[in-house]
Amino acid sequence: MRLTNNLLFFFILILSLYSQPVQAQSCQELETWTRLVEHEFPSVESKSVRSGSLIYNSIRFNLLSDKYFIPVFGKPFEKVGKLKKFSIKVKLTKCKKKPKFPVSKRLDWYMWGVFSQERAYNDAVKEVVLLRQLRNELPSILTKINSPMVTNDDLEDFAKIVETKFQRLLPSEINKLEKAIEKQYTIASKNQLTLAINSLKKEEASFDKLMIISKFKTDNELLLKKLDQDTRHNFFKKLAYLKTKTISELVELEEMLLPNISAVTFQDYAAINTIIDRFTTNWYPYSNLPRVEKLRNYYFELKTLLIAVNHREVIQQIINTNTLQGFKNTQEAIFKYTFSSDQIILDIKSAIVLKYRQLQLLLRIASDEVQSKSYSMATRKKLLNSVKQIQKYERVSIEGKNLINRALHKSQVLCNYIMLEELKKITEPFLSIEKKTIGDLNRLKVKIIDFKNKYKTCDGEVYDGCIKAMEGIEKNYK
């Protein structure tokens, strides 16, 4: 009897679930509930959604999330009891069969297994809890994003979080975060650029600072692109002012050094070169600026005057070098950073050119005299030619004169050696002929004449002796 009463009660309960409305469970309300989430995905009405896809899961779990589930069913999804879940499942089954409510069919598809299978239910609870946590974090995240002190690095981090962790939220919620981030990029870029410029302002004037200012637009191109045109233009104006101010301060520092540089002597010309080297290197990118050009001209005038006033010492220092390369190096260092059109500089260079030519000839004589092993008239002629050219100069050093004397001596030694060798070549073949003819004598006579013409510049006792010996042989056989 008691068992019969229990079965009767359960049967009446089942009938009531199918025939009586549950709180906010009319088919129309279920349709409205579904459309609130489906509205985020317009394509679902025209295309079927694959189970387990990103869109499917987003609709499925967001429908069950607190934001959409509580207004319809009065409590969080995980708080709904078994009887209530059963009643919802029954209602979905009834609604999807009614043509008047086409969305209910899709809703039943979204809710597959959630109200009737334990595994599907437990998975759904996990997602609902996670969605609850994400939505609880939203206000805090938005506050951080909208902070006036947010940096681009912060925003990059937030963007990564949105792209990963917050992808479970609906597109409208994700879009809200993305728009907030995009808006703040402008503010953050402005803050970062302002901070960078303010930091530059505090630095003392230097060429490193000037280089950073010059490269600022290139180095911060991405940040500048995120600004609106007016804000970007204002930053450009600030940079231009900062650049002009820094250049002015650096020029003033250069001008403060001028009294010390003006006091240098000729012996310090190498130090002046170093100073001007530094100046031209540092100021090269700004050499067209009037104040910079004025400073450059001052340095050139100072160096030119220093060389002009000490022109005798300049010439002496240059000609005292013993090698052509040393001559060139010294000359280059002395005339570096002078006005080449200055008349005194031109006169000094003209005098030095003559000395340079003389040094070339002396070194050639030294080379020929020491290194030459060729006993020929060509070698002798080369030596005499160099000597002749040097003798045109009014002043020749004692060392130069000694070289000339050695060259002349070697010239005579060459003559004597060559004439004696030639004498043998002429006389020995003639004397070896047993029966000499008139023709042999005539040939000897021609060779004697050629000898005289060929070696007449040699002159001296050896020359005269060779002529006398050959003419004596000719006379004996006439």
Side-chain angles (χ1 to χ4, degrees), residues 59-230:
I59 295 173
R60 175 184 176 88
F61 298 126
N62 272 287
L63 282 171
L64 300 173
S65 67
D66 295 350
K67 182 176 181 178
Y68 296 98
F69 192 85
I70 292 176
V72 179
F73 299 100
K75 59 176 68 175
F77 169 68
E78 71 269 27
K79 299 294 184 182
V80 174
K82 291 183 179 181
L83 191 59
K84 186 67 173 285
K85 286 190 289 182
F86 182 75
S87 69
I88 296 172
K89 174 62 178 173
V90 171
K91 188 65 178 178
L92 287 176
T93 302
K94 288 176 64 177
C95 294
K96 76 173 184 179
K97 295 177 179 179
K98 298 179 180 181
K100 186 179 178 180
F101 303 107
V103 176
S104 295
K105 189 174 182 180
R106 294 200 298 271
L107 177 58
D108 183 62
W109 171 235
Y110 299 140
M111 295 294 106
W112 183 87
V114 166
F115 298 112
S116 59
Q117 296 183 21
E118 185 177 358
R119 182 177 178 180
Y121 170 78
N122 290 334
D123 289 343
V125 169
K126 290 178 184 178
E127 290 293 329
V128 168
V129 171
L130 184 55
L131 283 167
R132 182 182 299 134
Q133 292 172 349
L134 291 177
R135 288 199 171 101
N136 287 339
E137 290 181 33
L138 267 180
S140 174
I141 291 292
L142 281 169
T143 299
K144 291 177 181 178
I145 291 172
N146 292 321
S147 168
M149 301 308 295
V150 71
T151 67
N152 277 280
D153 289 340
D154 294 335
L155 294 172
E156 291 293 338
D157 291 339
F158 290 137
K160 289 177 183 176
I161 292 173
V162 171
E163 291 173 3
T164 54
K165 183 178 177 180
F166 283 88
Q167 283 303 303
R168 283 180 166 80
L169 297 180
L170 291 172
S172 59
E173 295 171 307
I174 295 172
N175 188 47
K176 184 178 180 180
L177 287 169
E178 290 174 341
K179 283 187 175 180
I181 290 172
E182 189 62 33
K183 180 182 177 182
Q184 286 300 99
Y185 266 127
T186 300
I187 296 172
S189 297
K190 183 178 178 181
N191 290 342
Q192 194 166 333
L193 290 168
T194 300
L195 189 66
I197 288 181
N198 288 341
S199 178
L200 276 174
K201 286 180 180 178
K202 294 176 183 178
E203 290 186 19
E204 292 185 2
S206 68
F207 285 97
D208 287 340
K209 176 180 178 179
L210 198 55
M211 180 63 69
I212 293 172
I213 295 171
S214 299
K215 294 170 58 182
F216 194 91
K217 291 181 183 179
T218 303
D219 292 343
N220 296 279
E221 185 178 4
L222 294 177
L223 294 177
L224 289 165
K225 281 183 177 180
K226 291 173 181 175
L227 304 179
D228 60 76
Q229 188 173 352
D230 290 340

Side-chain angles (χ1 to χ4, degrees), residues 270-327:
I272 294 179
N273 285 350
T274 301
I275 292 171
I276 305 177
D277 281 339
R278 175 194 57 77
F279 177 86
T280 53
T281 300
N282 288 338
W283 287 103
Y284 177 76
Y286 319 101
S287 56
N288 61 328
L289 298 176
R291 290 183 69 182
V292 176
E293 189 173 0
K294 184 178 178 181
L295 270 174
R296 175 188 173 278
N297 289 337
Y298 176 85
Y299 281 127
F300 272 61
E301 288 171 2
L302 175 65
K303 181 73 184 294
T304 301
L305 180 62
L306 187 68
I307 300 305
V309 170
N310 298 278
H311 62 276
R312 289 187 178 84
E313 192 173 352
V314 169
I315 294 173
Q316 193 61 44
Q317 181 162 335
I318 294 175
I319 65 176
N320 281 345
T321 54
N322 295 320
T323 65
L324 294 179
Q325 191 58 50
F327 192 103

Side-chain angles (χ1 to χ4, degrees), residues 334-391:
I334 287 177
F335 291 114
K336 191 177 185 182
Y337 302 129
T338 60
F339 288 120
S340 58
S341 59
D342 183 88
Q343 189 56 52
I344 297 179
I345 298 296
L346 290 173
D347 292 342
I348 295 173
K349 286 184 176 180
S350 296
I352 289 173
V353 166
L354 295 176
K355 295 295 181 181
Y356 180 74
R357 178 60 181 154
Q358 187 182 110
L359 178 61
Q360 280 183 310
L361 292 168
L362 287 171
L363 291 174
R364 181 188 297 171
I365 289 175
S367 176
D368 291 342
E369 192 269 329
V370 173
Q371 298 178 17
S372 177
K373 296 180 181 179
S374 172
Y375 286 84
S376 67
M377 291 304 290
T379 301
R380 178 178 181 273
K381 184 177 181 181
K382 189 176 181 182
L383 279 171
L384 291 178
N385 186 51
S386 295
V387 169
K388 187 176 180 181
Q389 290 186 58
I390 290 177
Q391 288 173 334

